[in-house]
Amino acid sequence: MTQTIDADPYPWPYNGKLSPSNSAIVVIDMQNDFCSPGGYIDSMGYSLEAARAIIPNIQAVLGSARQKGFHIIHTREGHRSDLADLPLNKQWRSRKVGVNGVGIGDMGPLGSVLIRGEKGWEIIPELLPIEGETIIDKPGKGSFYGTDLAMVLDLKGIQNLVILGVTTDVCVHTTCREANDRGFECLILTDSATDKGNYEDALFMIKQQGVQTKMKFLDDINVKVAKSSVGRYFKLKGSGVEKERDTTCMIALQFRAGATTYVTMAYIVAVNAIVVSQSGGGCVCNGPGICETDPAYLACVDIVRRDLVTGTAAMCAIACFLMGLGANLPICLAPGLGGSAYFTYTVVGFYGTKSVKFKDALAAIFIEGLIFMVLSIFGIRQWLARHIPPSIKVAAGAGIGLFLTHIGLQYSAGIGLISHNSATLVDIGGCPVGTLDGLKNCTEGQQMQSPTLWLGIIGFFMIVILMNYKVKGSILIGVLFVGIISWFRGTAVTAFPYTPAGDSSFAYFSKVVDLHKMEKTLGALNFDLSTGSIWQALIIFLFVDILDTTGTLFSMARFGGYVDEFGDFEGSYPAFIIDAFCISIGTLFGMPPMTAYIESGAGISEGGKTGLTAMFASVFFFLSIFFAPIFSSFPPWASGPALIFVGSLMIGSVVEINWNYLGDAVPAFITIAVMPLTYSIAYGLIGGIGSYVVINLAIGAIDMIIGLFGEKATKYKSDQSLREPWKSFDDGTFFFPAWFVKRYMPKTQSAKVELRAKYLESIGKGKEVKSGDYEEVKTGADDALLENKVIAEA
């Protein structure tokens, strides 16, 4: 997966390879002589206001960079006390521009100007390096001249430099040019300036060599939005709040990402309606076994299907809006296909053939959602999520990627590359739909003959190639390309063939605007909980939702780079509550359980990093209520390429699984494999967690028995050093949510803040930390510090 920062004149870095391991933050000369009264800059007659103004920005960048594991390098300009490395012409020029002729080497309020060891030479207290960070002492303007910086960068494998500090027109400018000549990719932050006139000229010259972040008309608009209350709430870049999101082209980017998420999810409006309507939706036929041939019953089911189209679109709009506004996450919710299938075929039964009635099942889901919300409010659900082993969490994201790919390869919601096979379950497909038999088997000799398959493949390669060239909206362009071509009738790839069904679909498509009034499913709940089967369904729904929705939310948060060093993610508390709340509200529209959708990864891939992405997607879902004939007419082979591509991005996380220890590797593999093969995220998590417990308990018991035989037998124990530490950060708050800790456990809250600070500090020192009776925290316990590949504040 490539990572870039939107910059001018091109997305930076050029090759998309941005990570903590190959990138460094270089802070240029933030010394007292340049930033404090009485220093060199002050003696030259320059205002210190600009130099001081950039300090909070640099603090924010350093805070994020340290948290995410980026290399940090500080430079200090200064000369030997004997002035042996100070050229005479440089000293002469400094005295010419200095106040009262005071120049480099002369005595000033902060000691000898720009002389090593003097107070003016020291880095300002606000930006002091922490242990483990590199300091380069340089005698000149550039950071490479007369220093070992080039060797340091080479040994650390650094390719990308984010350069900031003072002064843009001299030292930053010179360092950038030197670095560019040495083949480094440079990014200059445009809020590093001491003299505005020289600053603009310097940025123009820098752009010819390195790269600066954009500051043009569109950026001016984005800055104004970011500084507004809306920008601060959604943590847009430039808003100045803590933990700004990594997005520079704010509103336009969030809109495009929201549109992309909607287009990849739009199929659920039709597909969910088709699946759930097969439960009968409360319609009554005249007798058992004749429902499929009863015209009145089928007409009622058709009304239910139209109700569910409207209900699905409406509930998706509500859920996405709440998630974006309440949790500030670019994650959309919709009825889960797995839950819909379980609801229809297992709980209610095809055309209502099971003992649980449609309205009773909806009531059970409503209660289950309330229980789920209580668990979320008191933090129990989040606590469970944080204590899932790291490899299982990583594997969940990879497994969901394969699951997404599996969906994109099928006929129902994809390009139709794979089909059913009675003997092997799956087989190569690509047969024209009309050649499939009653069991959806591909007729021999017809494989790979479907024109829609090849159109979908073309759309997939279009997305890949456009994404390779960093074209904005690549996924959306690919989906629209395939979709629009498919809207023309009389072609081999049309979504509206000249058949009764095709004519009906085209007639509906031609309406453009149609608002259907819900008749059968709106508020259709019946709280008759007298049967045991309804309670069984309630418990199963609760269990599956805890694993399914929690796993999906966590995986999407991780994919978006929100997971912190303690295994939690920003906005998790409101996100879990909103997710549970929407389950109950969804039943009022006739919906099975709502869940976070893995298709949200498409919008995240397009750069959607804030809740605005989900809110824009909700607008499209709201419009689809009125423009359902248009918005519901993207064929499966248009959305399939996007699902496959996003799956290919998500599978990349497998490299972070601990494959060196079987107790971690095998459960992770089971998680990945079971998800797509059982069409269930929940079953994958059950298999992974269950196998993790069994394998590691067995190994622990065996090692304990071996230990009873004395020290000589210890060589037969398993090598536990290969095992990943998976205990989450224990700060003494147990599973209690933040609001509870703050109000009722103030002492624990204070200790939590202290221990967190010490934990972060320990990462730079490579030491273990203790705080009171809290559990020992090891720096290697959470590799999540390296999970986020981009500095959000950059």
Side-chain angles (χ1 to χ4, degrees):
M1 177 179 177
T2 60
Q3 294 281 8
T4 61
I5 293 175
D6 198 13
D8 184 21
Y10 57 83
W12 182 88
Y14 78 98
N15 56 9
K17 296 180 179 179
L18 176 62
S19 71
S21 61
N22 71 352
S23 305
I25 311 300
V26 183
V27 184
I28 303 292
D29 300 352
M30 294 302 293
Q31 302 162 248
N32 289 318
D33 266 332
F34 293 111
C35 304
S36 300
Y40 181 43
I41 291 293
D42 192 28
S43 68
M44 292 172 65
Y46 288 108
S47 171
L48 294 176
E49 181 179 355
R52 300 293 302 178
I54 66 175
I55 294 175
N57 299 333
I58 297 177
Q59 286 177 316
V61 172
L62 288 180
S64 177
R66 287 164 177 163
Q67 183 180 9
K68 296 175 176 62
F70 281 76
H71 301 283
I72 309 293
I73 298 174
H74 303 261
T75 71
R76 294 181 299 204
E77 182 177 350
H79 296 275
R80 295 162 53 104
S81 58
D82 60 3
L83 306 184
D85 58 351
L86 175 62
L88 294 178
N89 62 339
K90 182 178 180 181
Q91 185 181 41
W92 179 83
R93 286 196 307 270
S94 69
R95 286 172 173 170
K96 281 292 184 182
V97 298
V99 178
N100 298 322
V102 175
I104 299 175
D106 297 328
M107 184 60 64
L110 302 181
S112 298
V113 176
L114 285 183
I115 297 301
R116 295 175 186 175
E118 300 288 344
K119 182 175 178 58
W121 169 79
E122 297 173 354
I123 294 175
I124 60 176
E126 297 93 330
L127 299 175
L128 284 177
I130 66 174
E131 188 172 340
E133 294 179 351
T134 302
I135 300 176
I136 299 293
D137 287 318
K138 60 189 184 71
K141 302 176 184 67
S143 301
F144 290 89
Y145 169 71
T147 74
D148 56 359
L149 177 59
M151 179 185 297
V152 170
L153 297 177
D154 180 61
L155 292 176
K156 292 180 177 292
I158 303 299
Q159 302 170 3
N160 309 312
L161 300 179
V162 178
I163 304 175
L164 61 161
V166 294
T167 58
T168 306
D169 53 338
V170 182
C171 298
V172 171
H173 181 195
T174 306
T175 298
C176 179
R177 284 182 172 271
E178 288 183 318
N180 184 262
D181 285 340
R182 287 172 166 78
F184 294 100
E185 270 286 278
C186 299
L187 179 73
I188 306 298
L189 302 189
T190 54
D191 53 8
S192 304
T194 53
D195 181 79
K196 193 62 180 176
N198 294 343
Y199 168 71
E200 298 290 351
D201 294 336
L203 289 181
F204 176 79
M205 290 185 288
I206 286 172
K207 194 162 58 175
Q208 311 308 311
Q209 298 288 325
V211 182
Q212 69 176 72
T213 54
K214 298 193 299 183
M215 290 295 288
K216 297 183 179 179
F217 175 73
L218 181 60
D219 298 278
D220 291 337
I221 296 176
N222 286 332
V223 168
K224 291 180 181 178
V225 174
K227 295 298 183 183
S228 68
S229 57
V230 173
R232 290 192 294 272
Y233 179 81
F234 289 104
K235 300 186 177 182
L236 295 177
K237 180 173 176 60
S239 61
V241 300
E242 185 181 3
K243 296 183 179 179
E244 292 177 354
R245 298 293 169 84
D246 174 34
T247 173
T248 43
C249 189
M250 295 143 189
I251 297 300
L253 183 62
Q254 303 310 300
F255 179 84
R256 186 176 68 241
T260 301
T261 297
Y262 168 77
V263 171
T264 56
M265 284 181 63
Y267 72 90
I268 193 62
V269 175
V271 174
N272 182 68
I274 292 172
V275 172
V276 179
S277 65
Q278 292 184 2
S279 67
C283 296
V284 180
C285 58
N286 295 325
I290 64 171
C291 297
E292 295 181 62
T293 58
D294 184 347
Y297 183 81
L298 294 178
C300 177
V301 170
D302 190 57
I303 294 175
V304 169
R305 183 181 62 82
R306 292 179 183 272
D307 282 358
L308 292 169
V309 167
T310 301
T312 303
M315 194 56 223
C316 288
I318 295 171
C320 295
F321 185 85
L322 290 177
M323 183 63 75
L325 181 63
N328 194 20
L329 291 172
I331 298 174
C332 278
L333 289 80
L337 280 180
S340 295
Y342 175 74
F343 174 89
T344 298
Y345 303 113
T346 304
V347 179
V348 181
F350 180 72
Y351 286 167
T353 53
K354 299 290 185 178
S355 60
V356 179
K357 302 302 180 184
F358 178 82
K359 296 181 179 181
D360 297 339
L362 288 179
I365 296 173
F366 180 87
I367 296 173
E368 178 256 331
L370 295 180
I371 297 173
F372 205 26
M373 187 159 54
V374 170
L375 294 179
S376 300
I377 290 174
F378 287 99
I380 298 174
R381 178 186 176 190
Q382 299 89 309
W383 182 82
L384 290 172
R386 287 197 296 268
H387 285 74
I388 297 175
S391 283
I392 299 296
K393 293 178 182 178
V394 175
I400 289 174
L402 284 182
F403 185 28
L404 201 59
T405 302
H406 187 47
I407 294 172
L409 292 174
Q410 296 182 58
Y411 281 94
S412 61
I415 62 178
L417 181 61
I418 59 176
S419 67
H420 177 263
N421 185 294
S422 300
T424 61
L425 297 182
V426 293
D427 197 357
I428 189 70
C431 295
V433 175
T435 64
L436 297 175
D437 63 20
L439 297 176
K440 302 298 182 181
N441 291 314
C442 200
T443 306
E444 189 64 33
Q446 295 294 324
Q447 289 90 345
M448 305 297 291
Q449 300 297 312
S450 172
T452 58
L453 165 67
W454 291 106
L455 179 60
I457 291 175
I458 292 173
F460 172 73
F461 285 126
M462 175 181 288
I463 292 172
V464 174
I465 294 171
L466 290 176
M467 189 68 76
N468 181 70
Y469 286 99
K470 310 294 189 301
V471 176
K472 301 298 183 183
S474 301
I475 296 176
L476 183 59
I477 291 172
V479 172
L480 289 174
F481 171 79
V482 177
I484 292 174
I485 289 178
S486 302
W487 286 344
F488 291 95
R489 301 198 79 179
T491 67
V493 295
T494 182
F496 310 116
Y498 290 106
T499 62
D503 293 339
S504 176
S505 297
F506 186 73
Y508 186 58
F509 172 74
S510 301
K511 287 184 177 181
V512 181
V513 177
D514 180 56
L515 179 60
H516 173 75
K517 181 181 179 181
M518 299 180 68
E519 303 176 28
K520 301 290 185 180
T521 61
L522 186 63
L525 280 69
N526 180 33
F527 291 90
D528 180 9
L529 307 179
S530 58
T531 62
S533 55
I534 196 70
W535 287 102
Q536 178 185 0
L538 189 154
I539 294 172
I540 291 177
F541 273 125
L542 179 62
F543 178 72
V544 170
D545 282 343
I546 287 177
L547 293 177
D548 195 337
T549 61
T550 303
T552 306
L553 265 175
F554 187 92
S555 297
M556 286 298 97
R558 189 176 186 279
F559 185 63
Y562 307 120
V563 178
D564 62 22
E565 65 273 17
F566 303 125
D568 199 1
F569 64 89
E570 184 182 358
S572 64
Y573 184 68
F576 285 133
I577 293 175
I578 292 167
D579 177 49
F581 174 74
C582 289
I583 290 176
S584 292
I585 297 301
T587 60
L588 302 178
F589 293 86
M591 296 294 105
M594 302 288 291
T595 183
Y597 249 60
I598 51 182
E599 284 83 349
S600 301
I604 294 173
S605 298
E606 280 294 323
K609 297 291 186 179
T610 73
L612 289 173
T613 297
M615 294 176 71
F616 280 127
S618 77
V619 172
F620 285 104
F621 276 114
F622 178 74
L623 291 177
S624 68
I625 298 173
F626 304 96
F627 294 91
I630 297 295
F631 288 109
S632 299
S633 294
F634 284 95
W637 54 89
S639 60
L643 302 181
I644 298 169
F645 178 75
V646 173
S648 71
L649 298 181
M650 295 183 69
I651 194 65
S653 62
V654 295
V655 298
E656 299 176 39
I657 294 173
N658 179 26
W659 297 108
N660 297 319
Y661 179 71
L662 292 178
D664 295 325
V666 172
F669 171 76
I670 292 175
T671 303
I672 294 172
V674 172
M675 281 187 185
L677 296 180
T678 61
Y679 216 76
S680 171
I681 297 171
Y683 292 153
L685 290 172
I686 292 171
I689 295 173
S691 60
Y692 186 95
V693 172
V694 171
I695 293 173
N696 286 286
L697 280 180
I699 292 174
I702 294 172
D703 284 349
M704 186 181 297
I705 294 173
I706 293 175
L708 297 177
F709 292 92
E711 285 190 18
K712 292 185 178 180
T714 56
K715 64 180 180 180
Y716 297 107
K717 286 186 176 181
S718 62
D719 188 356
Q720 291 294 307
S721 66
L722 299 176
R723 182 180 179 181
E724 65 180 358
W726 66 275
K727 292 181 180 179
S728 67
F729 182 77
D730 186 357
D731 53 20
T733 61
F734 305 101
F735 58 79
F736 296 112
W739 65 267
F740 185 91
V741 174
K742 187 174 182 180
R743 182 168 184 177
Y744 298 107
M745 304 169 67
K747 293 184 178 180
T748 304
Q749 170 72 8
S750 176
K752 173 182 177 180
V753 173
E754 177 186 355
L755 183 56
R756 179 187 177 95
K758 289 184 177 181
Y759 176 81
L760 292 175
E761 182 183 357
S762 73
I763 294 167
K765 297 181 178 180
K767 298 179 181 179
E768 298 181 352
V769 177
K770 292 184 179 180
S771 180
D773 295 328
Y774 293 145
E775 182 181 358
E776 196 169 63
V777 181
K778 298 180 184 297
T779 59
D782 284 293
D783 290 334
L785 284 166
L786 303 180
E787 288 178 357
N788 301 323
K789 307 299 183 185
V790 183
I791 303 178
E793 285 75 9

